[in-house]
Amino acid sequence: MPGIATRSPGGVLPSRGACGRARYPVRCCGARRALHVGREDSLGHDGPKGLLQALDGRNLVLVGLPGAGKSSVGRRLAAQLAIPFVDADSEIEKAAGMSISDIFATHGEAAFREGETRVISRILQDGPLVLATGGGAFMSADTRRAIAAHGIAIWLDAATDILVARISKRTHRPMFHNVDARAKLKELRAVRDPVFAEAPIRVVSSSGPQERVVGAILRALRQYSLAAEPTPQQAASQ
Ligand SMILES: Nc1ncnc2c1ncn2[C@@H]1O[C@H](COP(=O)(O)OP(=O)(O)OP(=O)(O)O)[C@@H](O)[C@H]1O
Ligand SMILES: O=C(O)C1=C[C@@H](O)[C@@H](O)[C@H](O)C1
Ligand SMILES: [Mg+2]
């Protein structure tokens, strides 16, 4: 789309390993680390530093339906980890110099999607950071590949009733203009959930304090990193 600039060319980014699962240097204190999973201190004994080390500079990329909490929970997650937070929708609006509603109205959805893929590809190169994607971003195979190469996709999922309640308080998403929010969400869910399910981590974005969802993400990340195979170097040092 004219007007949506990227600092780097779009397309698939150089891979650092298929989904990266087996390449995180994670087993720094071996199985003992598993004891920390599920405790109140979801960051574990060595706090954000240890988790970030385990993630090896990868971005944490929130995906999920509109209203799942990608932006609001993502901002809190980044604050806890003391890494930058970037919202892809806001970056697209900044790059285009207009709101998403205006992009849809002026250029159409296909042009928005092209711009979205390019902008996300560019942001992923600036990690480690927490990236909140737009609700439809993960549907792009190019974007999924770029996320797998540079980060970990975390599917924030929520019950339809919860999403409807959250969405009906907002007016800034063109997809929900003049339509029945529940029907639209069901339609989106049918198409998108099987694709969101490709994300290696799924966390339920329940109602209640957003900090609880952040805690659930941190525990899931720790579990995920614990499940990874140690690199040969780590195995040697254990
Ligand atoms: N866990 C939660 N508990 C209560 N309210 C929440 C929770 N998560 C998000 N919300 C609220 O739901 C609304 C939608 O959240 P948010 O904008 O973060 O969703 P999103 O996934 O970024 O949506 P979009 O794809 O449209 O950008 C906000 O008003 C936010 O405060
Ligand atoms: O679900 C979607 O397709 C969208 C969600 C928003 O985050 C925006 O990216 C845009 O409104 C499209
Ligand atoms: Mg958002």
Side-chain angles (χ1 to χ4, degrees):
M1 176 193 322
I4 294 194
T6 54
R7 284 208 301 275
S8 55
V12 182
L13 298 167
S15 172
R16 294 200 298 184
C19 72
R21 221 174 242 251
R23 301 183 99 182
Y24 305 143
V26 288
R27 291 261 173 109
C28 62
C29 63
R32 276 193 313 123
R33 181 76 66 92
L35 296 173
H36 298 277
V37 174
R39 283 174 29 166
E40 272 307 293
D41 175 9
S42 41
L43 283 167
H45 64 85
D46 44 5
K49 197 166 157 235
L51 182 55
L52 289 172
Q53 242 172 8
L55 296 173
D56 193 22
R58 281 163 197 272
N59 300 293
L60 301 178
V61 185
L62 299 178
V63 304
L65 288 171
K70 302 177 296 293
S71 302
S72 43
V73 171
R75 191 176 295 282
R76 286 171 168 78
L77 175 65
Q80 278 242 11
L81 292 172
I83 57 175
F85 169 74
V86 181
D87 191 298
D89 283 334
S90 307
E91 291 297 307
I92 293 163
E93 289 180 327
K94 264 192 252 168
M98 62 175 90
S99 70
I100 289 180
S101 294
D102 286 343
I103 298 173
F104 270 65
T106 312
H107 300 288
E109 181 175 348
F112 170 79
R113 296 297 174 197
E114 276 173 36
E116 180 174 53
T117 301
R118 286 201 306 274
V119 166
I120 289 177
S121 162
R122 183 257 294 168
I123 295 167
L124 286 169
Q125 302 192 47
D126 293 338
L129 47 79
V130 175
L131 171 62
T133 61
F138 205 59
M139 298 309 108
S140 152
D142 281 350
T143 296
R144 290 198 298 281
R145 275 193 289 272
I147 292 172
H150 288 262
I152 301 171
I154 300 163
W155 175 20
L156 268 192
D157 194 12
T160 302
D161 282 349
I162 289 181
L163 294 179
V164 171
R166 290 180 188 163
I167 282 169
S168 30
K169 293 184 194 143
R170 315 180 313 176
T171 55
H172 65 299
R173 292 300 184 223
M175 202 137 275
F176 292 93
H177 288 173
N178 306 316
V179 295
D180 177 69
R182 182 177 298 275
K184 185 68 194 179
L185 274 169
K186 280 190 177 164
E187 186 189 303
L188 292 178
R189 196 184 272 294
V191 175
R192 293 182 180 179
D193 274 11
V195 184
F196 289 138
E198 291 182 23
I201 293 177
R202 173 180 174 267
V203 169
V204 174
S205 176
S206 51
S207 52
Q210 293 181 20
E211 281 67 25
R212 202 178 292 165
V213 183
V214 172
I217 293 173
L218 291 171
R219 281 192 295 279
L221 279 169
R222 192 159 282 283
Q223 241 154 2
Y224 178 72
S225 66
L226 281 166
E229 291 303 315
T231 61
Q233 272 167 329
Q234 287 174 312
S237 69
Q238 277 171 20

